[in-house]
Amino acid sequence: YKIFIPCIFLFIGQPVKSKRPKEPGENKIKPINKKVKPKTPKMKERESADSSLKSQSILTQVMDKGHFQKLAATLSLSAGQSLELRCKGSNVTWSYPSYLDTFKDSRLSIKQLDRSSQLILANSTAADTGEYSCWLQLCNGNKCRKDETKTGSTYIFFTDKEELFVPTPGYFEIVYLNPDKPAVIPCRVTTPSAKVTLHREFPAEEIETDGTDIVYDAKKGFIFQHPTSNHKGIVYCKAESQGAPQISIRYHLLYVEVPKGPPSATIAASSSRAALSDRLQVVCTVLGEPDVDVNFRWQYPGQEFERPVIIQNFWRLINRGIGHTTRISKSVLLVEDFEAIDAGNYVCIAQNLQGQTTVATKSSL
C-alpha cells in the first residue's frame, strides 16, 4: 500500500519567508540613525538647582584675563591675594566685614560701572575673612528696599598659616550668656579645615563639644545652644592645621539672665555742686536689648517756672562681638546758665512696654 501524506501550503498575499538563525547579539538595539531624547533631571532636582543658581546669579568673581566665575557658598584664597567681585545691576548695595569700614581701609574700593558694581580688595589679610554679599535696591522716590530675589553672597576664607584665627582688635572679649538665646564665642578660623577645640582657663580643661548643645562653625565660632550658669568663666580656643597649635584671645563668659521688665536706668550729673552761671549736664542712661524702645521724661527744679533747659534723646547699638549687641539709650538735660532756681533734684523717668523706672540726682549751689 502507498501512503499519501497531504501537504498544506498557506498563501497570504506573499509567500512566507523562512527565518534564518539569529547571530549572537543581533537582538541588541543599534543606535545607528536613532534619535535619543536627552535625559532631563526630575522636576524637584531642577527647581532646586535653578533656585540655587538664582540666589548666586548676580555675584561673580573676576578671574585672570577678564574671566568671570560664579561663586559658591564659601571660597578659600591665600592671604596676600587681591580680590575683585562684580554684582550685576545699576543700584547695588554691598556688605562685607565691618572693620573695613571702621578703620576706613584704603585697600577696599567700590565702584559703580555701567551694568554692575565692582568691589576690589587689594593685599588681602587674614583679618579680611568673612561674608561678602550684595543685593539690588528697589526704590520708589526716596524709599528703597532690598530686592530679595536678586542677591548674592559668599563667605571668603583668607588662609594664613601664621594666623589660624581671624585677628581681633583686642586681646580680651566679653561674651554674655543669655538663657533665652544661643551664645557665640567668635573664634573664627582662616583655614576651614583647621581642627579647633575649646578650653577653660581655670580649672584647666578642654570643654567637650557634643555637636548638639555646643557646636563649632568655622564661620561663626563655638555656639552654645542653651547657655547656663555652668558655662561662665574664662575660655580660649586652640587651632591646629599642619603645624604648631595656635591660641585665640581670651573670652570672659558672663551669665546674664535679662529680666523682661522695666528699664534698668542710671543717672549722673556733671557736677553735684554748681556755681552761678555754670553749665550743668544731667545724663540718664539705659542699657537694654537692641529692639526695645525707651521713652524718657524729666522733672527738674525750675520746671514749674518754665526755666529753659535743653533735652536731647538718642540711642546707638554697640557690637560686643558676633552674637551679642547692646542698645544704649540716653537722655541729656542741659542747663546753660545755672541759677539758684536750678538747684535741687533732677528726676529721670525711663519707660518701655514693660513699665517704668525712676532715678534721681541732686545738684546744689
Side-chain angles (χ1 to χ4, degrees), residues 159-176:
T159 61
D160 185 346
K161 63 180 182 180
E162 302 298 328
E163 294 278 4
L164 290 183
F165 288 108
V166 179
T168 56
Y171 298 96
F172 191 85
E173 189 170 321
I174 295 176
V175 175
Y176 292 95

Side-chain angles (χ1 to χ4, degrees), residues 19-23 26:
K19 294 184 178 179
R20 62 178 177 81
K22 292 181 180 180
E23 298 292 335
E26 192 173 348

Side-chain angles (χ1 to χ4, degrees), residues 85-154:
L85 301 178
R86 294 286 182 90
C87 199
K88 294 180 182 178
S90 57
N91 190 7
V92 173
T93 299
W94 288 92
S95 176
Y96 41 82
S98 58
Y99 93 96
L100 288 169
D101 268 340
T102 304
F103 297 101
K104 298 180 180 179
D105 204 314
S106 61
R107 297 177 301 116
L108 177 73
S109 64
I110 294 177
K111 183 179 180 182
Q112 182 65 48
L113 306 177
D114 290 339
R115 298 182 180 180
S116 64
S117 179
Q118 176 193 60
L119 180 149
I120 294 179
L121 178 63
N123 301 321
S124 63
T125 68
D128 300 324
T129 295
E131 184 173 3
Y132 293 75
S133 61
C134 65
W135 59 89
L136 294 188
Q137 290 274 53
L138 295 177
C139 296
N140 183 8
N142 294 328
K143 295 183 178 180
C144 295
R145 62 180 178 86
K146 181 179 180 180
D147 186 349
E148 298 291 347
T149 65
K150 295 180 180 179
T151 65
S153 177
T154 187

Side-chain angles (χ1 to χ4, degrees), residues 206-256:
E206 180 177 338
I207 300 175
E208 183 180 353
T209 54
D210 55 10
T212 303
D213 289 331
I214 303 177
V215 298
Y216 183 73
D217 185 334
K219 297 185 289 185
K220 296 180 180 179
F222 282 99
I223 303 171
F224 287 73
Q225 301 288 5
H226 307 286
T228 69
S229 59
N230 294 331
H231 295 136
K232 65 184 179 181
I234 297 178
V235 301
Y236 61 91
C237 305
K238 180 188 290 187
E240 296 181 60
S241 178
Q242 300 178 354
Q246 296 181 23
I247 303 298
S248 72
I249 66 171
R250 263 55 178 176
Y251 299 93
H252 192 179
L253 311 187
L254 296 178
Y255 184 75
V256 181

Side-chain angles (χ1 to χ4, degrees), residues 264-339:
S264 176
T266 59
I267 191 170
S270 57
S271 176
S272 60
R273 183 175 295 275
L276 293 176
S277 301
D278 276 356
R279 190 171 183 264
L280 177 68
Q281 179 176 278
V282 186
V283 181
C284 188
T285 304
V286 171
L287 295 178
E289 294 299 300
D291 56 349
V292 178
D293 291 325
V294 179
N295 295 317
F296 294 96
R297 289 184 291 117
W298 285 93
Q299 296 174 1
Y300 51 94
Q303 192 168 16
E304 59 180 297
F305 303 105
E306 297 184 355
R307 181 81 170 102
V309 296
I310 299 172
I311 298 176
Q312 293 181 324
N313 299 329
F314 58 92
W315 63 269
R316 63 191 176 98
L317 296 179
I318 294 181
N319 186 0
R320 297 183 180 273
I322 295 176
H324 189 89
T325 302
T326 297
R327 174 169 173 160
I328 296 183
S329 303
K330 288 188 178 185
S331 182
V332 180
L333 183 148
L334 180 64
V335 179
E336 289 280 10
D337 187 8
F338 194 86
E339 296 182 3

